[in-house]
Structures are given as C-alpha cells and as structure tokens.
Amino acid sequence: MSLLVIGSVAFDAIETPFGKTDKIIGGAATYISLSASYYKKPLNLVAVVGGDFPKSDIMLLQQHGVDTLGLQIKENEKSFFWAGKYHNDMNSRDTLVTELNVLGTFDPVIPEAYQDCKYLMLGNLAPKVQSTVINRLRKRPKLIVMDTMNFWMDIAYDDLMETLSMVDVLTINDEEARQLSKEYSLVKAAKKILAMGPKYLIIKKGEHGALLFNQEKVFFAPALPLEEVFDPTGAGDTFAGGFIGYIANHDDISFETMKNAIIYGSAMASFCVEKFGTERLINLSENQIARRVQDFIDLVQFEIKL
Ligand code: AMP
C-alpha cells in the first residue's frame, strides 16, 4: 500500500546540554522517512532541497528504500535551515533560527507514479503546501496524517485551519495543543481540536508519552524511561514515521491498529533521542526494534482481576 511523505528536508544545528552540532541533516520528512522505512518500503518522498544538500544524504535515504523522484533539487538555492537549543529538562527548546530558503517558494509536484497514494503523511511544512499536496492527488488517500508546529500557528493560522479540515489525524505536542485550542486541559483541548476537522488527535508529551483521542475514546502510550536522552530533535517526526509506517504496513485504520501504531511510533522515537540528529535511526535491526517494543509492553502490562 503506497505511502507518500512530504515535509522539510533540512540542515539543522542543535545545541543540547550535552553538546552542539554544526549543520547536520534533519528535517521533518527526513526523520519520518527513515523511521517509516523500517515498516514500509518503498515509500515516496515529495520535498525540496537546495544545491548545497549533500548527494550522499540523498543516497542514504534511497538506501533506506525512499523513492526520491519527488525530491526537487534547486541547484542555485539554499536548503531549509533550522537551529534550536534545548533547556536542561530536554523537553523544552528555543528555536534560534528558521531560514525557509527553498521552502519559502516550494511548489510541490506529485510525480505520476505517486498518484496511487493510499497513505499520506504531511510532515511539518507550511499548511498551504500541505493542502496543495492533498488537492493535487486525484484520489483522496485512505488516511491523511498531518503534523504541524507553533511556528505555523503564529504565521499561517487561517491556512492551518483549512488544512486541518481536510485531514484524518493530527499529531502535535501538548504545548501546541494548548496554543491551538486555547485550553489548558488536554481533554478539553482535544474536544476543540477534533471539532476543527481531524477524526483523531495525537498529543505528544515528550518524556511523558502520547495520547490518542477520537470523539469516543482515548488511549495513552507511555514513553520509555531512558537513562540518557541525548537529543530530542526529530523525536516527534520519528514517532509520526513509525505510526504511519505501521498503519500502511498493516493496511488497517481501526482504533485498535492505531493503538499499536502509537507504540511502534514511541519505540522509534525512543531510539531517535539516544544520539544526535538522525544517527541512531540509520542502522537499526528488526531485532532491536522488536526488543524495544517488548520493553513498552513490559512497562505497562499488569493484571488486575475485578
Ligand atoms: P521535531 O523535533 O520532531 O519537532 O522536529 C524537528 C525537525 O523539524 C528539525 O529537523 C527541523 O529541520 C524541522 N523543522 C523545524 N522548524 C520547521 C518548520 N517551520 N517547517 C518545517 N520543518 C521544521
């Protein structure tokens, strides 16, 4: 079942209490694709980079089963650049720089071969670009999952509202859910956000796990307590990649499958934070992933007879 991923493919500069990187590869679609590639191959990518983006990193994506026919390379322009600095708690961060560069004028082109898209993952990008991709698909995908962030709530609120009305699942973090809904209680926030369009809402709470809501039900998945969190960048995107990859692989969009998908997404995110950037996502084995998922099962399994 074909999976199409869109989002930023970028250079990031990251500062955490444990160290600092120069420009390394990042971007929402990079993390999503690498993560989803462990469940779903091949997957199709629609994104844009500048001529400064290393060919070796494009090859890395290809080696993970990512089809890059839809990756535009603007030879004379610069790639999107984002810099962020984490606070000591590693759960909160400040964005230091957002240089849109090629993203500022991105016009997503969907190759003909991608038109049979059954699962669409709209990674973090301008909401207008996200809705353009939906509109350019001749047939509506079976499931559209969207991620976004406070940056777009601040500068493109109306576009964001329009895109929200077109998707099935929204993933955002707790701070963003509060900003979007103007509610502090996440339960009240979920009600308001579900009324904006999506049928499902996933609220990511960093080291405190994630919540899945629909109109009737709620499910909670913990985050694995890790001894060391090195760099949380991309954890949310890695989560989304594991989530959509699992669903596409099982070709099932029931609430029960979404619950499992959230556990797989959380397991992938737990790997992501263990090293800087995408490093930890590059060489995972099936065994390592299975053991990690088992850790999640063990963490929450208990028997109470009522
Ligand atoms: P996360 O830590 O999951 O929120 O994702 C971090 C990634 O999002 C980084 O690799 C950035 O390149 C990317 N990113 C940050 N700001 C934006 C933005 N405004 N639009 C698209 N991608 C972004």
Side-chain angles (χ1 to χ4, degrees):
M1 301 306 129
S2 63
L3 168 60
L4 172 58
V5 174
I6 72 155
S8 50
V9 172
F11 285 125
D12 289 345
I14 304 159
E15 202 176 324
T16 80
F18 303 106
K20 217 174 150 166
T21 67
D22 287 328
K23 282 188 174 178
I24 57 173
I25 70 150
T30 308
Y31 285 100
I32 293 168
S33 301
L34 288 173
S35 176
S37 74
Y38 288 94
Y39 304 98
K40 184 78 200 117
K41 278 196 191 74
L43 59 91
N44 299 329
L45 174 67
V46 166
V48 63
V49 290
D52 54 354
F53 200 77
K55 302 283 174 283
S56 55
D57 288 318
I58 297 176
M59 276 170 66
L60 178 89
L61 290 172
Q62 291 165 346
Q63 282 154 10
H64 279 79
V66 180
D67 186 305
T68 57
L69 187 66
L71 177 67
Q72 300 174 30
I73 304 176
K74 299 267 155 99
E75 285 302 341
N76 299 320
E77 293 177 46
K78 282 164 74 178
S79 301
F80 174 74
F81 173 60
W82 175 83
K85 182 176 176 178
Y86 287 86
H87 300 170
N88 282 339
D89 66 3
M90 294 292 263
N91 248 352
S92 51
R93 73 180 176 207
D94 294 326
T95 289
L96 303 179
V97 183
T98 300
E99 283 175 16
L100 290 177
N101 298 327
V102 283
L103 274 193
T105 54
F106 180 35
D107 184 25
V109 177
I110 319 282
E112 191 54 36
Y114 293 5
Q115 280 289 346
D116 75 334
C117 162
K118 197 161 186 185
Y119 292 93
L120 174 61
M121 178 68 227
L122 301 170
N124 193 7
L125 265 188
K128 190 82 207 161
V129 177
Q130 294 176 316
S131 60
T132 301
V133 169
I134 301 175
N135 288 329
R136 287 186 179 169
L137 287 169
R138 282 197 291 275
K139 198 166 148 244
R140 192 193 190 276
K142 181 170 173 181
L143 190 78
I144 304 177
V145 181
M146 168 188 181
D147 187 37
T148 190
M149 74 184 299
N150 48 0
F151 181 80
W152 303 114
M153 293 173 198
D154 294 337
I155 70 162
Y157 183 81
D158 291 345
D159 290 344
L160 179 65
M161 284 297 142
E162 194 194 333
T163 310
L164 265 181
S165 72
M166 301 166 82
V167 306
D168 300 302
V169 184
L170 173 69
T171 72
I172 44 175
N173 70 31
D174 43 356
E175 205 184 308
E176 290 155 354
R178 290 185 171 116
Q179 179 172 343
L180 187 59
S181 64
K182 301 189 181 66
E183 290 286 354
Y184 187 80
S185 150
L186 292 180
V187 177
K188 282 188 183 165
K191 277 195 184 139
K192 277 200 175 170
I193 295 170
L194 288 172
M196 295 171 188
K199 295 182 210 64
Y200 301 89
L201 170 69
I202 297 172
I203 301 182
K204 301 167 284 180
K205 289 156 57 68
E207 64 174 331
H208 304 298
L211 290 159
L212 166 69
F213 294 91
N214 71 2
Q215 293 285 5
E216 299 93 42
K217 289 185 261 190
V218 55
F219 172 72
F220 171 70
L224 203 62
L226 295 169
E227 213 160 298
E228 274 184 288
V229 172
F230 211 68
D231 170 21
T233 308
D237 306 312
T238 304
F239 171 93
F243 176 79
I244 191 81
Y246 182 90
I247 289 180
N249 187 21
H250 287 75
D251 193 20
D252 181 58
I253 56 171
S254 65
F255 194 80
E256 289 308 305
T257 298
M258 284 194 192
K259 281 161 64 172
N260 291 349
I262 282 199
I263 300 293
Y264 272 86
S266 305
M268 296 308 290
S270 76
F271 285 118
C272 174
V273 302
E274 287 179 339
K275 292 212 170 138
F276 262 118
T278 55
E279 203 182 329
R280 189 73 178 97
L281 292 180
I282 286 165
N283 277 317
L284 289 170
S285 69
E286 269 180 34
N287 257 343
Q288 284 173 312
I289 297 175
R291 276 204 303 274
R292 196 50 73 91
V293 171
Q294 187 62 50
D295 288 344
F296 273 84
I297 296 171
D298 295 343
L299 184 68
V300 288
Q301 203 165 41
F302 52 85
E303 277 176 37
I304 299 178
K305 292 209 168 47
L306 290 175

